[in-house]
Amino acid sequence: MLVAAGTAWENEVERLFAIQLQAQELSAYSSFGQLFDEICTTLGLNAAMEALNEGVPHRYSAVYRLVDGRMVNVAMADKQREPRPLFLAEVPLRSSFCQYVLRDGSFFTGDSGLDERLIGHPYQGVMMSYCGIPVFDLEGRAIGTACHFDVISHAIPEEKVGQLRAAARVLSAHLADHSAKPNTSS
């Protein structure tokens, strides 16, 4: 009985430690979310996406809104500071990796060329890395995605996925008032 009590106590300590770590992570993401919201409010969505893009290896960070079966770019950051390519302004949902985000609740691939989930997809091996999180409206309906992507393979640290999740929660409120017109300020 003493061994069982010791094991139960150790399990409880591990459980409490895990809860504490989760609380610290949530606090860190909450702080990031507050900062991201402040940037969205004061400097705009493009500036917020630039801030989000600074911490990841991916060339692009963007927010897309679902409009009539198309993913319409609302804001984008490009590490190379080039104008947004026309082919990224609007993408048919069926041709985008965003479809998997909206279907599955998230989608990550560090090397699309090797990702068996993408067999037959037109951008497999072209858009090599992608990390996407859904953006929901205030009623809980998926209205778009927040994502990082690149034509070069990249892994993404879990911490950066958490920041993208925090950004997606913030973007919900900002997209509610944002026009569905494509971003033209790239």
Side-chain angles (χ1 to χ4, degrees):
M1 185 70 172
L2 187 57
V3 173
T7 303
W9 179 81
E10 289 171 352
N11 288 342
E12 182 64 9
V13 168
E14 288 177 12
R15 186 184 74 79
L16 292 172
F17 183 69
I19 290 171
Q20 180 182 9
L21 284 178
Q22 287 175 345
Q24 289 172 350
E25 287 176 8
L26 286 174
S27 176
Y29 299 142
S30 175
S31 296
F32 178 82
Q34 290 173 351
L35 175 63
F36 188 80
D37 184 47
E38 194 172 306
I39 295 169
C40 285
T41 302
T42 59
L43 300 175
L45 292 177
N46 282 321
M49 295 314 293
E50 286 178 15
L52 189 63
N53 185 253
E54 287 177 8
V56 296
H58 300 77
R59 177 175 174 180
Y60 300 103
S61 294
V63 59
Y64 282 85
R65 185 166 188 147
L66 178 61
V67 179
D68 299 326
R70 300 168 293 129
M71 298 306 296
V72 177
N73 180 244
V74 176
M76 179 179 288
D78 175 359
K79 279 194 182 349
Q80 296 181 7
R81 303 235 185 262
E82 293 182 10
R84 184 199 53 231
L86 188 57
F87 73 93
L88 294 176
E90 289 189 18
V91 182
L93 177 62
R94 288 187 198 170
S95 298
S96 72
F97 288 172
C98 297
Q99 68 180 307
Y100 306 115
V101 174
L102 298 175
R103 182 190 71 194
D104 301 333
S106 65
F107 183 73
F108 312 107
T109 185
D111 187 343
S112 71
L114 300 175
D115 195 324
E116 293 182 5
R117 299 172 297 174
L118 296 171
I119 291 175
H121 191 284
Y123 291 112
Q124 182 182 25
V126 177
M127 194 57 69
M128 295 300 293
S129 54
Y130 180 91
C131 172
I133 302 292
V135 176
F136 297 96
D137 68 11
L138 302 177
E139 285 79 43
R141 294 180 300 250
I143 59 169
T145 61
C147 52
H148 302 298
F149 53 96
D150 204 331
V151 295
I152 298 171
S153 296
H154 297 290
I156 186 161
E158 185 61 36
E159 167 193 341
K160 299 305 178 182
V161 173
Q163 289 180 348
L164 187 60
R165 286 186 199 286
R169 284 191 297 274
V170 169
L171 288 166
S172 296
H174 292 278
L175 286 185
D177 297 327
H178 199 279
S179 167
K181 291 181 182 175
N183 168 23
T184 57
S185 63
S186 291

